[in-house]
Amino acid sequence: MPSLVTAVMPHGTLNTSDQPSLPIDSDLLLRPWLPSDAAAVARVFQDPTIQHWHLRRADSEDEAREWIEQWRCGWESETACHWAVVDGDDETLLGRVSLQSIIMAGGQAEISYWTAPEARGNGVCTRAVARVSSWALEEAGFNRLELGHSTANSASCRIAEKTGYTLEGVRRRALLHADGWHDMHLHARVHEG
């Protein structure tokens, strides 16, 4: 069936080149995930705060390695872009930021993130979200990025606000967490060009 609109991001917009590494100053780097990151991912997902705000846990390095393989495949299929947030000097894993649920026709994606316990409170996640957002909207050709988080997650809300994501509303009982249903804030940024 023919489309009535031209795709904002034609297929091949992302995967005709390698996923980029995105430096942030000299002390942080966003890079594609490596199988060798599995031990660090498994360790981070033992953290109670990570488990509280996420729907899955990693019980082994093998399971974390499977996730990483799925994350790496997202670029090729143009369904997601996942980056490891690492220390710019020694590549210690500090967090993750990703664009998921990509809709190429509309140039849309959902941004998500987490920070390793030892890296919290240092602006790591805010800087990573800001960098991926600017890459997506100013370089890659995305039109709209959505950011959703539990209304009870005030830290995530601060990140959204600091990185220019406008609060558009509340999605009531939108996501089931381990402790029950959560209302979700919906924030968004759009391309301003």
Side-chain angles (χ1 to χ4, degrees), residues 124-138:
V124 168
C125 197
T126 299
R127 291 167 62 204
V129 168
R131 180 65 177 101
V132 167
S133 300
S134 66
W135 172 83
L137 295 169
E138 297 165 18

Side-chain angles (χ1 to χ4, degrees), residues 53 109-113 145-151 153 156-157 160 165 169 171 175 177 183-188:
W53 298 119
E110 297 173 10
I111 193 164
S112 63
Y113 44 84
L145 302 178
E146 294 185 351
L147 187 160
H149 64 82
S150 170
T151 57
N153 189 339
S156 198
C157 198
Y165 282 80
R171 297 171 53 228
L175 195 60
H177 283 65
D183 291 350
M184 302 291 287
H185 273 167
L186 173 62
H187 300 259

